[in-house]
Amino acid sequence: MAMMTVGGVALPNPSSYTVTLQDLDSDNTHRSETGILNRERIRAGVYKINATWTVKYADLKKITQALSPDKFVVTFFDPTTASYKSAQMYAGDRSARLQAYTDESAPEKSVWELTCALVEY
């Protein structure tokens, strides 16, 4: 099974993968003048996945196309529970960095590093 699917598309396994659980606080959360936190948590356990893939052009295209809709369902391995989870997410900034371009006559053989943050709705 793929470590991650996006919108039903099985993605190549990432070369780097971090799962974070975040809490969301309301605008009423603040510290008092004495440094005491007055917290109003409105949601706990919001998933954020930072993933990096080192892939050839064909897989780069597959991943960027899967991440292009404004929202999608991601099924991913959650190391905090050692199980697979599904969540509706969106893709944050995506950056692609060229790793190898050795044959100008065959750019499809180039190797790329793609990094993206996936954030739960």
Side-chain angles (χ1 to χ4, degrees), residues 28-107:
N28 295 330
T29 298
H30 64 280
R31 289 205 178 267
S32 69
E33 290 180 14
T34 59
I36 303 295
L37 178 65
N38 296 302
R39 185 173 190 207
E40 187 176 311
R41 182 171 66 178
I42 56 175
R43 186 171 168 200
V46 176
Y47 282 99
K48 179 178 180 182
I49 301 169
N50 288 306
T52 300
W53 295 267
T54 303
V55 293
K56 290 191 176 177
Y57 178 79
D59 281 336
L60 175 71
K61 187 174 180 181
K62 178 181 183 178
I63 296 167
T64 56
Q65 285 177 338
L67 298 176
S68 66
D70 62 340
K71 61 182 169 181
F72 37 75
V73 174
V74 178
T75 301
F76 61 98
F77 181 75
D78 176 6
T80 67
T81 62
S83 64
Y84 281 86
K85 302 276 184 188
S86 292
Q88 190 171 72
M89 297 185 156
Y90 67 92
D93 292 343
R94 295 165 292 282
S95 64
R97 186 173 76 157
L98 181 64
Q99 295 293 308
Y101 187 77
T102 57
D103 188 350
E104 289 184 19
S105 66

